[in-house]
Every structure is written in C-alpha cells, then in structure tokens.
Amino acid sequence: MTQNKDFLRTIVEEDLNSGKYKEIVTRFPPEPNGFPHIGHAKSIAINFGIARDYQGYCNLRMDDTNPTKEDTKYVEALKDAVQWLGFEWHDEVYFTSDYFPKLYEYAIQLIKMGKAYVDSLNEEEIREYRGSVTEAGKRSEYANRSVEENLELFEKMKDGVFKDGEHVLRAKIDMSAANMKMRDPLLYRIRHAHHFRSGDAWCIYPMYDFAHCLSDYIEGVTHSICTLEFENNREIYDWLLDTLELDPPRPYQYEFARLGINYTVMSKRKLLELVQGNYVSGWDDPRLPTLAGYRRRGYTPEAILNFCDQIGIAKANSTVDVAQLEFCIRDDLNQKVPRVMCVLDPLKVTIENYEGSEMIEASYYPHDVPKEGSRLLPFSKEIYIERDDFMEHPPKDYFRLTPHQPVRLKNAYIIACTEVLKDEKGRIIEIKAKYYPDSKSGSDTSGIKTKSAIHWVSAKEAKKVEIRLYDRLFKVEAPEGIEDLNPNSLQIIKEAMIEPSVITEKLDERFQFERQGYFYEDPIDSTDDKPVFNKIVGLKDSWAKKKKVATPPAPKPTAPKPKNKKPASAKVAMSLNATQQKRFDYYRKLELNSEVATILACDAQLSSFYHDALSEYSSPVSLANMIVTEVARELKEKPIEALKFDAKQIAQLVKMIDDATISSKIAKQVFEQMSQSGKNPAEIVEEKGLVQISDPAKISPIVDEVFAKNPENLAKFKAGNEKLFGFFVGQVLKNSGGKANPQVVNKLVKEKLSK
Ligand code: ATP
Ligand code: MG
C-alpha cells in the first residue's frame, strides 16, 4: 500500500476482521453524461485502490438512469479513463439500466408493504408540501391510496398511460423528518424519452436514491463510497435496504471529500458548456481537467495517481492547488524522459570561423538520472539559438549572450558575438559570432569564463515542429464562468526548430526540452511531416511568481483606510494554500520580508533547501536572500538533484559573508564556482585568494590610487557634485578585485574626501 491507512481502509479492515464480509466489493458508479475529470480519478483511485489492496474487486457501473443526458461516447470515455489509470473492473461493465426490471420488482414489493405510494401532486405542490428546514412538511392526500390502487397506477405509469409529471412513486417515510431527504422521497418518475441502451422499453425511470442502494445490493457491493454531498442521502440508502428486508450482507455507504482544484472548473455540466461553446477544442482539450485532456497533454497515469495519493482521503472539502498536480508530473518526468534541445523562437547565428560540420555525442540524460543513452548532435557554421538568449543591451543580471559576454552552447563550444545584424525596422535578424575551438564541452582548455549554457540547434539539420504552449485555462483561482477564462491559455508556435534525433530516433513520446519544460508529441495531430508537441508543464511553477506580482500594493497612507482591510502581507498570504500559508507565517516570524517569504513558501523545493541550510547555520535572513536569488536561479535551469552544491555549502558561504570573510560581491563569484565544481566555498576562497580585505591600511593605498587617477572627478566632487561619492567607492571596490570590504571602503573614501 502506498499510503498511510485512511479512514476508509480502517473501516474495510475492521469489517474484514470482524467477518462482516468475506470479500471486499466496491464500485465506481459514474453517470455517463460527460467525460471523467480529475475528481473522478480520485474516486477511481479510492474504489479500485481499496479493492486491490484487500484482494477484492471493483465494479464499473454506469449510473444511467437519466435518459436525456447520457450517451455511449461517455461510456467509452469512462472505460478509457479507468484503464488508462491502470485499473481493471470486475467482470463486464455494468449498467443500472440492466437492473430496471429488478428495480421495478423492488418497487412493487415496497408498494405491497404499504411503504410506497403513487402521488399525483404536481412538481410545485410536491415542493410546497415538503416544508422547510424549520417547518415540518405535510403529506399528500394521495398517500392514503390503497395498495391495490397504487399497484394499478404504478403499472399504468410503466405502460405509458400517463404523461411526464402526472404521477410519481414515493416512499412513505416521514414528512416531518429533520432530514428533509427523508420526507417521502421520490422513487420513480415518468419520462417519455429514448434511452441510449434500453431504448423505448421504459417510460418510468428510477431516481438516484432508489436505484443506487439497490444496484449496490444486486452487485454484492460491500462498501459504497461516495462524495460528501450524499451524506444526507445515506438515511434513505439505509431505510430502503432495511425496509425491503433483503438477505444479508448488505452494503453501507461512506462519504469522503470531493476534490476541487483551483484555476479550473470541475463539474461535468460546466465542462460541457466549455466544450459546446467551443471555448476549447473538445473534451480532450489539453487545458481541461478531464482525464482525456491530461492524457493528450502528456500527463502520465503515474503522476495523476501520485497526486491522488498525496492529497489523501479526507472528510472535509477543500481546494487543492493545481501547482501540486504540476509538481507531480514534473517529479515523474524528471527521472524518466530524455533531454533534448528545441529552439522555440529561433534567431540565426553564423559562426564565421567555423568550417565544415561535426557530430557531437551528447547524453540524453543528466548524470544523476539512472538511465543511459545518447544521440549525435550535428554542429555547423549556422545554428539557431533562442531569441531571448541574446540581448544587445542587457540588464545587470543577464548571463547569456551579449555583444560583450560569451556564452556556452550546451554540449558544444563557447561562442562570442562579433556583430549584430538588423533589418530596417531595427529588429535583430542575425548574429555573427566566433567560436573558440578549444572550448568544447568535456575538453575545454580555453579558460574562458561563461555564466550560462544555452540550447541551440544546427540550422541545416534541425526539423521544423509545431509547439503548443498551454497555460491554465482560467486566470483566477476560483473561476465563476467563461468571463474568467485566461485569454493566453493556448499559444501556438508554428516554426520551432528541434534537433533531428527527436524526430528520427523517436526515443520516447515525452521529452524535456532543455530550459523550456516537458513536452509530449500530440497523439492526434502530429505526423512525421508535421510533428506537433504539446507542452506538458514548465520546469518550474511560473504562477508562484505571477501571484506575487499580482499582489496589491499596500494602501497609500494618504488614502482613507477602508474598514477591515487586511494588511498587504496578509493579502499575499491569502492566495496561498494551507501548507504555504503556514510556511509563510513562519518565515515572517524569522523576519524575512514578505516577498522573500512568499517565494520560499510557494516553492516546496526551495523551502526544504532553506530549512536544510538553516539547520546548518542559523542566519535566517541572509540565508533566505542567498537562496531565493542564487539557488533559485540555478534551480530554474536544472532539477535539485543536479545541483553540484548542497545546503550545507550554502550555509558555509553565507557564514563567510556574515563574518566578513568575503564580500557579498565575491560571494557571487564563489557561488558560480561552487555551482560548477561543487567545491566547498572555503576551498574556493582559499584557492583564488578571495578573502575580503577589511584592513584599512591595505585599502587606503587603493583609495589614494583611485583619487590620483581621476583628478577631474575629484575636483568636481570638491566643487559640490556629491553624486561622485558612489563613483569613487565603486572604483575602489573594482580596483581591489571586489575583495575590499565595502563598509571599510565607504568609511575611508568619506574620510579622505572630507580632508
Ligand atoms: P459532476 O458534478 O462532475 O458531474 P458527479 O458527482 O455528478 O460529478 P458522477 O459521474 O455521478 O459525477 O460521479 C461518479 C463518482 O465519482 C461518484 O462516486 C462521485 O462521488 C465521484 N466524483 C465525482 N466528482 C468528484 C470529485 N470532484 N472528487 C471526488 N470524487 C468525485
Ligand atoms: Mg452529476
């Protein structure tokens, strides 16, 4: 068993131990009126899972008592979903409609017992007579009909003598019951409609409350597990089975919490609206929470089942963060799928000093994944890189290719930009570059430093592919309807360029496109000539950040303060789930600012890394800052297992900043080294002589030198241009190779300038 014992399994075990049942029989009883969604997956996992864990069996029963909404295509979709999740139903698929004759007999039996009657009130009267929560109902005068009259009328109902709604069959229970469901519930109604299986054989159809318990009984079900909204129906369930005095053993009903997920709608009715209104491409649209949708998008059954396992079985309804589901699929694919390169928005790069071509062998898997295999990557003079991976005027923290910064081509060489070509509108159309022949990955002797590695493809050999980027279907956490649809939930890229092995070798259906996310070859639209890939999920949760950005700013002090308005920090927390909220509160207690606290709280990986680091060195704020910037950036590029450094080393690094051994600027360099070599920070600092200089006697000459070199600026400062203070501090830091302690520099510069 994969999980701790939940309350249902506890009950099942007790029932087996006490000998109440010899064998466990459960059932999954969907109404075939739509495609199953992830909520159904939870129910499937519970019902089939329990049967499997206790060597019993689980029936798949189509609860098809509503002729106007049901269809065989939904039956097929339900069967597919169960099989796809890896379960097998007992015997053949069952249908409630197959029990219609038997159910009819039970109804006759109830009438004969004086426990059911034909009522001739209309719908509205029935509602009125039912009373309210605070008021008892009153019984219809038709309840006094004799058994014979009831039998005769019921038979006529069945024979089609009456119109829809003229009569109903009701149980005779208690019109003043506290549980309103027990106020003479309806058992049968007249519906002159064609049923997709029984055709026109019946024009009376049993109601859920009547059909469900008896179908369970007919099938020998022991544990009838359903969702919480049926809690009040349990009394009818029991009443019917007991009143009919059926031979034991009989089934019992148990309820668990329905699954809800944020950023989506879940009921089949709402999903049907999206399908019928063409807001999506069909029931299997990869943005829908249907199992057909997840499957087409590239989710694995393992990920879905893991998710069901993680959320557990509870008795209180709650909404689960969709990020948790996304985590499960990422987690599953991370260890499984080959990594390849695909350029979504190609920018041509011509490497002018490269002639000819070569094949570079590159592993499909990172070294920490227990799988082996490699492909040959063609490399040549003309390649494509991602448009985003070049910037002519980069911001400070940009680590990819720029006119002044070389970059490594993943698995290949380091290149440097030599020229930027633009069209008449100023849009960059091509980069001219040079490569360093001795910088090849794995045998790099060039000594050239790069800050990141980018993906690329060889222009001639790359294949054109269509990429469908999916995002959440709704833009708000608790969508009301179509007005909340996310207009950017689908983006189609017609001409992405992918390395040829993906198409020619077809090693897998799913791939990680380096730095982009996980992708799945669309099972329907993809062809050899026109391959199509669906984005399954990104490499990390891009919404955690968006949420943060969406945080409303704190109210301006001048604005009148609305009553009951929570402070901004509490608002951040409002969009967090319970676990995240708990972490957030804890981090605020550690005095992290709310931005840092939110980032950590929303990212389980980062947060656990933080906790590990904290247990090594208790400096909550400095550690958090290092982790949400440097470590988080590394994690954007690779999974946590691929990091060369661990929490302990980060703790050592931060400690060296805290006790002024190194400056925070140097710490960045050390961090770069750590993330490449995995060496301890102290070792790196030692090796490279990076220890911070705090001794004023050593810094003083550097300050003097800077002043001497910049007599003009010195004069300007003395003439009143105080802005130049920063310039001098910066120059001194630079001239010290970043090693001077900034505080000491500040003090010295100030002192000397005031002289
Ligand atoms: P919907 O409102 O989406 O149509 P439903 O409850 O009407 O759902 P059924 O086809 O009748 O759907 O359900 C089949 C089984 O799946 C039932 O036992 C039901 O309790 C369970 N189920 C349906 N939705 C969920 C959910 N969101 N979470 C857990 N179980 C669910
Ligand atoms: Mg329903």
Side-chain angles (χ1 to χ4, degrees), residues 28-31 37 39-40 43 227 229 256 258-259 266-268:
F28 170 60
E31 184 183 353
H37 48 62
H40 292 106
S43 181
T227 34
E229 68 273 21
F256 69 94
R258 221 180 157 77
L259 167 65
M266 195 77 104
S267 91
K268 283 178 283 184

